[in-house]
Amino acid sequence: TATPKTARINDQLITLRPKETVLQAALRSGIDFPNSCRVGGCATCKCRLVEGEVKELTETGYLLSAQELAQGYILACQSVPKTHVRIDVELAKHAARRTVAGRVVARHAVTHDITRLAVQLDEPLDYRAGQFTELAFEQLPGVVRSYSFATPADGSGVVGFYIRKVPGGQLSSFVHDHDVRGLSVRLRGPAGDFWLRDGDAPLVLIAGGSGLPPILAMLQQAASVGDTRPVTLLFGAREERDLYALDQIEALQATWRGSFRFVPVLSEASSNASWTGKRGRVVDELPALLPPNAHAYLCGPPAMVDAAVTVLMANGISQEHVHFDRFTTRA
Ligand code: FES
């Protein structure tokens, strides 16, 4: 048998199994390699290939700038080494990820399929509004799911999550069907590179379905420090009964120091005659509302995020100003 291929990740030498990606091999070897979506959609696993060759599983060029591509940047989750490789990666940005235990202290039905939980952690966890964490219930061994923090970190150790019931979803059904108050949970986080960057450019934020909470957390954080950038917030949902957190949006609108437009768009409003707002796909509203040189933040299902990225690029927004969290729902 051939000797196994190896990879050097920064200073650490690891062995590679056949067909393994750089990310899989690194994580298996205990390296806290930055990652988030693991499907080539977020660029969190971006790293530099310094030596060797990889086979790329998907077209990753649209997530990396021409300059990055020229410098040998790759996405670790989409790269299978063909030879020995040497990889340089910035590990520091994930150093804050840790495991904290806690207890569910509140549970509210927000819509027919979304439940909001509040969790009191044993010790506060530092994170940036927009990031997510892994969540596990002691009562559901082996079931770990990722959820965005629904509020900015405030040092109190109380964190919130909006959990949408997924058909057949073990954790989401458990939370939806049972009074989980008092139960023990474990968080491992924070993760993801979705947070609001500093700047002066107008902001366009697009949320699809259960992608709204991290975007609201970002805006609440920004409001608390007196951000004045003009905001356009688009929220795509199916029907009127799928809209939620409207009170929080109103409160934001009232306190935001710059202009604040909120545009809800319903994709299946036809059965509901009372709806007088926008109908259709949220991305179709984008061109008419897009301020020049906007910086965009997108959170929602992959199809929505990808469509929005395409529209933004077609309208001259440069890739470095488009940030997104493309969540995949795992049952
Ligand atoms: Fe590789 Fe998201 S983890 S692109």
Side-chain angles (χ1 to χ4, degrees), residues 32 35 93-99 125-128 131-134 149 187-192:
D32 195 10
N35 73 90
K93 65 181 171 184
H94 254 53
R97 193 190 281 215
R98 60 195 183 95
T99 301
L125 183 67
D126 199 21
Y127 60 87
R128 288 166 142 154
Q131 287 191 293
F132 64 86
T133 179
E134 288 177 351
F149 293 101
L187 266 60
R188 185 166 185 274

Side-chain angles (χ1 to χ4, degrees), residues 57-109:
L57 300 177
T58 54
E59 177 55 55
T60 55
Y62 82 102
L63 282 177
L64 300 168
S65 68
Q67 193 187 1
E68 286 171 335
L69 289 170
Q71 289 172 345
Y73 278 89
I74 57 168
L75 298 180
C77 73
Q78 297 300 306
S79 298
V80 177
K82 293 204 274 194
T83 63
H84 168 79
V85 292
R86 229 180 85 210
I87 304 281
D88 275 358
V89 60
E90 175 93 57
L91 295 177
K93 65 181 171 184
H94 254 53
R97 193 190 281 215
R98 60 195 183 95
T99 301
V100 184
R103 204 164 42 83
V104 178
V105 290
R107 171 180 176 272
H108 298 281

Side-chain angles (χ1 to χ4, degrees), residues 4-318:
K5 282 199 281 283
T6 54
R8 185 174 290 279
I9 303 198
N10 295 345
D11 284 333
Q12 193 172 340
L13 191 67
I14 62 171
T15 55
L16 298 165
R17 292 181 182 161
K19 298 196 177 136
E20 230 177 9
T21 63
V22 171
L23 180 64
Q24 285 164 340
L27 294 177
R28 183 175 52 72
S29 308
I31 297 174
D32 195 10
F33 203 103
N35 73 90
S36 159
C37 73
R38 302 190 187 178
V39 294
C42 72
T44 308
C45 65
K46 181 167 79 179
C47 57
R48 201 156 78 87
L49 179 65
V50 188
E51 200 181 289
E53 258 183 83
V54 296
K55 172 174 176 281
E56 302 206 346
L57 300 177
T58 54
E59 177 55 55
T60 55
Y62 82 102
L63 282 177
L64 300 168
S65 68
Q67 193 187 1
E68 286 171 335
L69 289 170
Q71 289 172 345
Y73 278 89
I74 57 168
L75 298 180
C77 73
Q78 297 300 306
S79 298
V80 177
K82 293 204 274 194
T83 63
H84 168 79
V85 292
R86 229 180 85 210
I87 304 281
D88 275 358
V89 60
E90 175 93 57
L91 295 177
K93 65 181 171 184
H94 254 53
R97 193 190 281 215
R98 60 195 183 95
T99 301
V100 184
R103 204 164 42 83
V104 178
V105 290
R107 171 180 176 272
H108 298 281
V110 175
T111 70
H112 61 103
D113 66 354
I114 296 178
T115 306
R116 190 178 72 217
L117 296 185
V119 170
Q120 172 72 58
L121 299 173
D122 291 352
E123 46 186 309
L125 183 67
D126 199 21
Y127 60 87
R128 288 166 142 154
Q131 287 191 293
F132 64 86
T133 179
E134 288 177 351
L135 174 67
F137 277 81
E138 203 170 75
Q139 297 210 327
L140 294 178
V143 179
V144 179
R145 298 291 181 265
S146 294
Y147 293 100
S148 300
F149 293 101
T151 53
D154 64 359
S156 69
V158 177
V159 292
F161 304 102
Y162 284 71
I163 298 181
R164 192 167 86 78
K165 185 175 157 91
V166 178
Q170 286 179 276
L171 193 150
S172 69
S173 300
F174 181 66
V175 163
H176 190 264
D177 300 340
H178 300 88
D179 186 356
V180 295
R181 284 177 297 175
L183 296 187
S184 296
V185 296
R186 210 167 13 82
L187 266 60
R188 185 166 185 274
D193 65 352
F194 190 60
W195 67 78
L196 194 61
R197 273 61 171 178
D198 292 336
D200 304 318
L203 297 172
V204 168
L205 307 105
I206 309 171
S210 47
L212 183 65
I215 287 191
L216 289 185
M218 279 179 174
L219 290 173
Q220 285 160 352
Q221 167 70 43
S224 74
V225 295
D227 203 311
T228 57
R229 286 177 270 187
V231 165
T232 302
L233 170 62
L234 290 111
F235 178 24
R238 284 176 309 236
E239 303 172 41
E240 219 168 335
R241 64 174 188 154
D242 296 308
L243 295 172
Y244 60 96
L246 300 179
D247 53 337
Q248 290 185 53
I249 296 171
E250 250 174 59
L252 265 170
Q253 261 181 316
T255 52
W256 194 260
R257 292 175 60 187
S259 65
F260 194 119
R261 278 193 295 194
F262 170 53
V263 184
V265 185
L266 298 184
S267 59
E268 288 164 31
S270 46
S271 58
N272 192 332
S274 70
W275 180 250
T276 53
K278 304 276 189 198
R279 296 161 186 255
R281 293 195 320 158
V282 68
V283 290
D284 295 332
E285 300 300 327
L286 192 50
L289 295 168
L290 190 63
N293 306 314
H295 290 189
Y297 292 83
L298 324 170
C299 187
M304 185 215 83
V305 170
D306 293 350
V309 170
T310 306
V311 171
L312 289 164
M313 304 254 170
N315 283 272
I317 305 298
S318 95

